[in-house]
Amino acid sequence: MRAYRLIAGMWVRSTMAYRASFAMTTFGNFAATFLDFVAIMLMFSRVDALGGYPLPEVAFLYGLSATSFGLADLVIGSMDRLGRRVRDGTLDTLLVRPAPVLAQVAADRFALRRLGRVTQGALVLGWSLTRVDIDWTADRLLLMPVMVVSGCGIFCAVFVAGAAFQFVAQDASEVQNAFTYGGTTLLQYPPTVFAKELVRGVTFVLPLAFVNWLPATHVLGRPYPLGLPEWTAFTPPLVAVACGALAGLAWRAGLRSYRSTGS
């Protein structure tokens, strides 16, 4: 954590040396991601509900997914650059430094402008909470921060696992993006609009459903996807820890298999 903090701080100081540029790129990041929600709003100009979910409830799912992913992207989003380093051999320079390779790769080119995505997701989430009719109980209130933090942890694990895959596939960042950026886009819509096979896949294989679908159904008082028991809504922290452990094992295996670029 100390190595990560020092490297990220260096990039933050570099960014803040040009404050006008930082402000413009952050706003651009905010505006570009907000277009995703504009597309959803345009859908609701023609329909009253999507998969049985009205606009405020879809915005609730969207806000949770976007905020969790935005935090993960801010903290560890540079992991998708690993494939490039493996291909051109610049990963070797990180291996000889007295700091953990994972911390160096995660903090590399730390982009504070990604706060635009986090802000946009948080604003949509806040707006949805003013429109959704929720019977607020202690467990539902507790689930709100748990969902965001656990979702961030799950997405971080996916970033690390995707980077570990690039040790084998070398520059396969687009494959990784299919599960990270593609995953957050999937979760922005209700599970009822997708085939059951896909819902099973993101529940039992790549457990992205624990980011928002399962806990959000408890908060909204909706039926659980796939008929799962109610206690599964409270398991995202356990899923995040398990995903992190598996991603860590994959990272260690990938790093041990690295043999530089050869000639």
Side-chain angles (χ1 to χ4, degrees), residues 22-74:
F22 164 71
M24 288 186 290
T25 54
T26 302
F27 177 77
N29 188 272
F30 173 93
T33 53
F34 185 70
L35 291 176
D36 293 338
F37 188 64
V38 170
I40 294 176
M41 295 177 68
L42 289 175
M43 292 182 193
F44 277 93
S45 67
R46 299 296 181 184
V47 298
D48 295 326
L50 192 62
Y53 284 65
L55 177 59
E57 293 185 354
V58 174
F60 182 69
L61 295 176
Y62 177 97
L64 288 171
S65 173
T67 304
S68 297
F69 178 77
L71 289 171
D73 190 37
L74 173 67

Side-chain angles (χ1 to χ4, degrees), residues 4 20 63 72 81 87 109 122 131 164 217 227 245 256 258:
Y4 176 90
R81 298 174 56 85
R87 186 181 62 187
R109 297 187 179 277
R131 297 292 188 273
T217 52
R256 283 196 299 267
Y258 178 65

Side-chain angles (χ1 to χ4, degrees), residues 67-253:
T67 304
S68 297
F69 178 77
L71 289 171
D73 190 37
L74 173 67
V75 172
I76 206 168
S78 297
M79 295 297 294
D80 60 1
R81 298 174 56 85
L82 180 68
R84 228 171 300 168
R85 286 189 172 277
V86 171
R87 186 181 62 187
D88 59 23
T90 55
L91 181 64
D92 294 3
T93 61
L94 306 185
L95 294 174
V96 298
R97 292 174 182 171
V101 179
L102 179 59
Q104 294 184 71
V105 176
D108 184 37
R109 297 187 179 277
F110 183 87
L112 200 59
R113 68 178 184 276
R114 291 170 176 159
L115 281 172
R117 181 187 291 274
V118 180
T119 304
Q120 184 264 335
L123 288 175
V124 173
L125 178 59
W127 177 83
S128 70
L129 290 175
T130 65
R131 297 292 188 273
V132 177
D133 184 19
I134 298 175
D135 180 19
W136 289 109
T137 57
D139 57 342
R140 287 188 170 97
L141 285 171
L142 179 63
L143 267 179
M144 291 302 299
V146 168
M147 278 190 284
V148 175
V149 175
S150 300
C152 174
I154 292 171
F155 275 122
C156 283
V158 175
F159 270 112
V160 174
F165 173 72
Q166 294 194 53
F167 280 114
V168 178
Q170 295 188 4
D171 197 359
S173 59
E174 292 307 318
V175 176
Q176 179 178 345
N177 291 342
F179 294 97
T180 52
Y181 291 92
T184 188
T185 302
L186 175 77
L187 297 177
Q188 291 168 2
Y189 296 90
T192 50
V193 304
F194 300 106
K196 286 188 176 181
E197 290 74 15
L198 179 60
V199 177
R200 289 192 185 97
V202 296
T203 302
F204 301 112
V205 180
L206 184 65
L208 294 177
F210 292 88
V211 173
N212 63 349
W213 279 356
L214 290 173
T217 52
H218 177 76
V219 174
L220 297 174
R222 287 273 181 176
Y224 282 55
L226 307 175
L228 294 172
E230 293 187 6
W231 56 263
T232 54
F234 301 92
T235 57
L238 299 177
V239 173
V241 171
C243 288
L246 292 174
L249 292 174
W251 172 263
R252 288 176 179 272

